[in-house]
Amino acid sequence: MIVVRARRAVVEGTERPAAVLVEGERIEAVLPFDAVVDAPEVVLAADEVLLPGLVDTHVHVNEPGRTEWEGFATATRAAAAGGVTTIVDMPLNALPPTVDVAALEIKRKAADGQCAVDVGFWGGAVPGNAGELRALHEAGVFGVKCFLLDSGVAEFPPLLGRDLTTALRAVAEFDGLMIVHAEDGDLVREAAGRRYLDFVASRPPAAEDSAIAGLLAAARETGARVHVVHLSSADALPQLAAARAEGVRVTVETCPHYLALTAEEVPDGDTRFKCCPPVREAGNRDALWQGLADGTIDMVVSDHSPCTADLKRLESGDFGQAWGGIASLQVGLPVVWTEARRRGHGLAEVVTWMAERPTALVGLSLKGRIAAGQDADLTVFAPDATFVVGRLHHRNPITPYAGRELYGQVRRTWLRGAPVEEHEPPRGRLLRREDLR
């Protein structure tokens, strides 16, 4: 047994002093800061805040098959360094994609013994595999993902028209979750060249808005629970809010890059900033922050999607040819916090967006909070300390945040009752949907 004392801790939605009593892998009790406890103590420094470990439900690990892009060892070390204690891995970019139970078991075998934090898995929904979705659900995935346009990899084709409805009906039968990359391919045109604003224009807000409208209609028809990933277009917020008010079971995420970056600041030819959908203009960013504040947007997760330097086309700077994805798993918390503090938001709100609501999305009820009975996943965070983004644990540390000064240092991360140490064997577990409930 140990006790972690913090003069500032985010506990049940508020920031207050606390003494967190840890017994084995779980939190035994949350006590007043000066409570007398017969146990070894860890006392946080005056400038540190104790947070629950973050939960990132949108991470592309890419192993096996494209492990040169990223892998479980490097991705989970990066997560731990960024205060993230649980990730959920996306079903595409790895080979084979996680579209059936056999592929899920291949991925679990690849991950076993490599993970510095706890790891869960999404399944994939593609044309022709509606009959596999229940089996994936029963095998422990936290939901299934689909694309509504070309995914960028041939082995993970999109669900179009009735294929989407068929898959949603299958998911609704076992009350599962469908998470959706929502862009309308008919409104996306091919991009080319170094000019960033040309790339943005090739994937307009209307492409997201149209795809989301179609998804909401299909969700109404089938009763399925749906989740919109990486929302970029703030124009879609009114229809999302209206659908939720009607009873459609829809949740929404956005990402650090949409909250921190703007199209106006992206240098032409700097393909580190390319992602799909794209980073848009400053006014759109402001509207996304408003959507977070009013609850239309539920959560913030990374969409960590790295690749090798050659695929980023760093030399040519061609936004049409470059891989679309931003590497940010290690720095997501300080990126969001830097902008949140500037806008008057507190750490308790950030914890809601980056720990509590992602946990609720996937149903890991023992994660994401500092409370009795929870896993003792903890992050020691110095919110007023600054640092310049430098060394990253990502296999390919290519990021638009390189050299940027951010607020908020992650000084230590605890996974289930013990600090994560780079030199020690990884202790992360592979999670199934039925775990930790």
Side-chain angles (χ1 to χ4, degrees):
M1 182 180 294
I2 60 172
V3 61
V4 182
R5 298 188 189 273
R7 294 198 177 277
R8 297 172 64 190
V10 175
V11 179
E12 301 293 1
T14 63
E15 191 177 310
R16 61 178 175 84
V20 179
L21 189 62
V22 175
E23 174 72 36
E25 297 189 343
R26 296 282 178 88
I27 296 172
E28 179 73 17
V30 181
L31 306 171
F33 174 81
D34 56 359
V36 176
V37 180
D38 184 15
E41 294 188 351
V42 175
V43 182
L44 270 58
D47 67 337
E48 294 175 341
V49 183
L50 189 65
L51 310 179
L54 303 187
V55 176
D56 192 335
T57 54
H58 195 146
V59 179
H60 294 269
V61 177
N62 306 327
E63 185 175 5
R66 293 189 174 98
T67 309
E68 69 274 16
W69 295 17
E70 186 64 283
F72 286 103
T74 49
T76 57
R77 282 201 302 270
V84 177
T85 52
T86 304
I87 67 169
V88 186
D89 174 54
M90 284 290 163
L92 72 159
N93 300 344
L95 292 169
T98 316
V99 296
D100 54 37
V101 173
L104 173 64
E105 291 310 312
I106 290 171
K107 180 170 282 195
R108 290 178 62 87
K109 184 176 180 180
D112 190 33
Q114 291 202 74
C115 300
V117 302
D118 289 347
V119 177
F121 301 94
W122 295 108
V126 296
N129 87 325
E132 300 285 346
L133 301 183
R134 180 182 289 273
L136 278 165
H137 178 79
E138 292 174 351
V141 301
F142 289 93
V144 292
K145 181 181 186 178
C146 73
F147 276 68
L148 303 186
L149 82 171
D150 181 11
S151 71
V153 290
E155 68 275 3
F156 202 93
L159 290 180
L160 303 175
R162 298 308 298 177
D163 282 340
L164 174 63
T165 305
T166 298
L168 286 175
R169 287 196 191 284
V171 169
E173 286 178 0
F174 51 83
D175 198 27
L177 171 64
M178 178 75 81
I179 67 172
V180 183
H181 180 128
E183 288 181 281
D184 185 338
D186 290 339
L187 299 179
V188 171
R189 65 176 186 271
E190 190 171 343
R194 294 172 53 86
R195 189 168 181 267
Y196 181 70
L197 292 182
D198 288 345
F199 169 66
V200 175
S202 76
R203 302 182 89 106
E208 284 186 84
D209 305 341
S210 172
I212 289 170
L215 172 65
L216 294 174
R220 287 188 189 95
E221 178 183 345
T222 62
R225 180 180 168 218
V226 297
H227 176 76
V228 176
V229 300
H230 52 50
L231 181 73
S232 161
S233 170
D235 292 351
L237 292 172
Q239 64 169 320
L240 286 162
R244 189 176 291 167
E246 294 169 21
V248 176
R249 296 191 296 165
V250 58
T251 48
V252 189
E253 71 185 43
T254 193
C255 304
H257 36 280
Y258 301 129
L259 298 172
L261 305 175
T262 64
E264 293 91 335
E265 73 182 280
V266 177
D268 288 344
D270 195 342
T271 53
R272 295 176 302 173
F273 288 82
K274 181 181 176 180
C275 56
C276 301
V279 170
R280 304 193 189 277
E281 71 283 355
N284 182 83
R285 178 182 66 173
D286 293 343
L288 290 176
W289 275 102
Q290 180 56 45
L292 262 180
D294 67 25
T296 305
I297 298 173
D298 299 274
M299 66 197 71
V300 182
V301 292
S302 68
D303 188 13
H304 176 69
S305 185
C307 67
T308 55
D310 60 318
L311 291 176
K312 262 302 186 187
R313 302 293 197 270
L314 298 175
E315 292 186 7
S316 70
D318 188 329
F319 280 100
Q321 295 298 313
W323 176 258
I326 287 180
S328 64
L329 181 55
Q330 186 171 331
V331 295
L333 174 57
V335 166
V336 172
W337 171 240
T338 297
E339 190 66 19
R341 75 195 303 274
R342 185 176 76 82
R343 294 171 179 268
H345 297 286
L347 278 172
E349 291 174 280
V350 173
V351 165
T352 296
W353 300 328
M354 301 187 76
E356 293 180 7
R357 288 183 182 161
T359 297
L361 176 73
V362 294
L364 290 174
S365 61
L366 298 184
K367 300 288 188 181
R369 296 185 300 131
I370 296 176
Q374 299 290 106
D375 276 0
D377 295 348
L378 304 169
T379 296
V380 178
F381 187 62
D384 298 322
T386 61
F387 72 102
V388 174
V389 177
R391 178 186 178 228
L392 297 172
H393 291 282
H394 309 152
R395 176 153 290 156
N396 292 282
I398 302 163
T399 179
Y401 305 113
R404 186 177 290 237
E405 184 176 58
L406 300 174
Y407 278 94
Q409 291 180 351
V410 175
R411 292 185 175 163
R412 179 164 287 194
T413 302
W414 293 54
L415 177 68
R416 287 181 280 101
V420 179
E421 303 288 0
E422 188 175 347
H423 62 276
E424 293 184 352
R427 296 185 297 107
R429 290 177 177 165
L430 305 185
L431 306 176
R432 298 180 187 268
R433 181 182 46 80
E434 62 271 20
D435 293 339
L436 304 175
R437 288 177 176 271

